[in-house]
Amino acid sequence: MPDQTSPISDEPLLEVLPRDLAAYREGNTGIPYVHRFESGRPGPHLLVNALTHGNELCGMTAATHLLDRGLRPNIGTLTVSFANVAAYESFDRRQPFESRQLVHNLNRVWSPEWLDGAEDSPELRRARELRPVVAAADHILDLHSTSQPVQPFWVYAGFERNAAAALAIGRPAVHLVMPKGLGSGTPVIQHGRHGEADGPGVALVAECGQHFLRATSELAVEVTLDFLGHFGLIDRAPAPRAPQRRFELLQTLVVQTPQFRFVRPVLGFEEFAQGELIATDGPTEIRSPCDRCTIFMPTRSAIVGREAVYLTRPI
């Protein structure tokens, strides 16, 4: 998801670092870094997708956890994929946020316009390669993390099937609901039938915490196992369910000028009163459209063309 932070913390704690993924390259599908396991019994096909963004390491931890332990589904089919390994391999601990992507945001290009277009980049080539993998899945869990240590949360299109699954799984306990899509591109979870109101499958993003914290990777493993258990692929009791909080996405703002600035340091989840100034983008004032407007994932650096902040309201 968006590269979230502010000048509050420019040097993150690096408790988790990349590991060599060469052993996972071959897979068993003919597509590099994609592994598929069929139970031979009827059941849903689940995709666990890691590293859509190269510096979001919790997905790597969860995917390798499944593969290293030889987990196999009791029913249906399990696919485990490492998405943007090229960006992941560019990681530099001196600039840990820079390996998010090489050219394009791999989580914004899942529309026919991008996938069938003439433009080229490492991310577009990888998205085209992964297109049949995503399309084949009945249900998708896309694992992500955030730049600041805010509370974990789900992100999903505002379809009842997604809400029902996320609420039943119960953790994370915060939900960011997109009633009209992301607003800045098409993410993995809205590719094809997963982006259709009458589609049959669940597609969720789990934002598990700050990129490089051990607790984030630990939660990603637990959420992944919860997801598999929810759909019956493994035997797993439901996790204790904390009180749930839901937010509706109102607007995704994109940085228009290098002069973009928040009016005060922010991490995410700050509330603003209706009309209160949130940020300026060159001559443009960005003000809260409602009372209790809650911001998600404020950008850590103003890069023109990338997301600035998500404006939401509590549901």
Side-chain angles (χ1 to χ4, degrees):
M1 301 314 276
D3 192 8
Q4 172 207 341
T5 189
S6 71
I8 290 177
S9 177
D10 290 328
E11 296 186 8
L13 182 63
L14 302 178
E15 294 181 339
V16 177
L17 292 169
R19 57 178 283 194
D20 185 0
L21 296 182
Y24 307 96
R25 178 180 173 80
E26 186 173 349
N28 62 355
T29 63
I31 300 173
Y33 298 105
V34 178
H35 303 252
R36 180 166 296 156
F37 306 103
E38 299 177 355
S39 69
R41 298 172 181 162
H45 181 174
L46 269 59
L47 169 62
V48 175
N49 189 53
L51 295 178
T52 300
H53 296 135
N55 64 341
E56 300 186 7
L57 305 183
C58 67
M60 174 274 295
T61 302
T64 57
H65 177 93
L66 299 180
L67 298 173
D68 293 348
R69 284 158 181 76
L71 187 145
R72 298 294 182 267
N74 295 330
I75 62 170
T77 299
L78 170 63
T79 296
V80 180
S81 61
F82 302 88
N84 201 347
V85 178
Y88 170 85
E89 290 178 339
S90 74
F91 183 86
D92 181 347
R93 64 182 303 155
R94 296 167 299 181
Q95 301 180 86
F97 296 105
E98 298 305 311
S99 58
R100 173 180 172 82
Q101 64 197 64
L102 296 179
V103 178
H104 289 106
N105 185 338
L106 184 55
N107 207 29
R108 301 293 182 270
V109 299
W110 289 86
S111 65
E113 290 76 14
W114 279 105
L115 295 175
D116 297 331
E119 197 161 347
D120 183 50
S121 71
E123 281 82 11
L124 284 167
R125 290 193 294 273
R126 184 59 171 164
R128 290 161 183 152
E129 192 172 42
L130 290 175
R131 192 177 193 175
V133 177
V134 175
D138 295 316
H139 308 299
I140 298 171
L141 176 63
D142 194 18
L143 293 163
H144 287 256
S145 55
T146 54
S147 295
Q148 290 286 8
V150 295
Q151 56 196 307
F153 55 95
W154 296 108
V155 184
Y156 50 84
F159 307 137
E160 179 55 34
R161 63 185 186 268
N162 291 333
L167 288 165
I169 293 169
R171 61 176 169 181
V174 175
H175 304 242
L176 176 56
V177 182
M178 304 184 295
K180 299 178 182 178
L182 187 59
S184 56
T186 304
V188 171
I189 61 168
Q190 290 191 274
H191 174 60
R193 60 193 175 124
H194 293 287
E196 298 171 357
D198 59 352
V202 168
L204 307 173
V205 162
E207 297 277 0
C208 297
Q210 203 276 342
H211 298 324
F212 314 113
L213 294 182
R214 186 172 295 108
T216 301
S217 284
E218 291 170 350
L219 180 62
V221 171
E222 296 303 316
V223 170
T224 299
L225 297 175
D226 291 344
F227 187 78
L228 300 183
H230 175 74
F231 288 103
L233 269 67
I234 63 172
D235 297 322
R236 183 171 173 86
R241 191 171 182 273
Q244 307 286 295
R245 293 197 297 149
R246 303 177 76 224
F247 296 82
E248 177 186 28
L249 177 64
L250 301 174
Q251 188 177 4
T252 302
L253 296 173
V254 174
V255 175
Q256 302 297 318
T257 74
Q259 289 74 45
F260 180 93
R261 297 290 184 274
F262 290 101
V263 296
R264 56 185 169 91
V266 291
L267 295 173
F269 289 91
E270 291 83 1
E271 287 189 1
F272 292 81
Q274 184 167 9
E276 184 178 355
L277 186 63
I278 298 172
T280 57
D281 193 354
T284 302
E285 292 186 341
I286 297 167
R287 293 187 176 272
S288 170
C290 62
D291 281 329
R292 298 191 63 200
C293 177
T294 306
I295 65 169
F296 275 64
M297 296 180 287
T299 184
R300 66 177 300 273
S301 58
I303 300 175
V304 174
R306 295 193 189 181
E307 288 98 338
V309 65
Y310 290 173
L311 304 184
T312 81
R313 67 173 182 89
I315 299 175

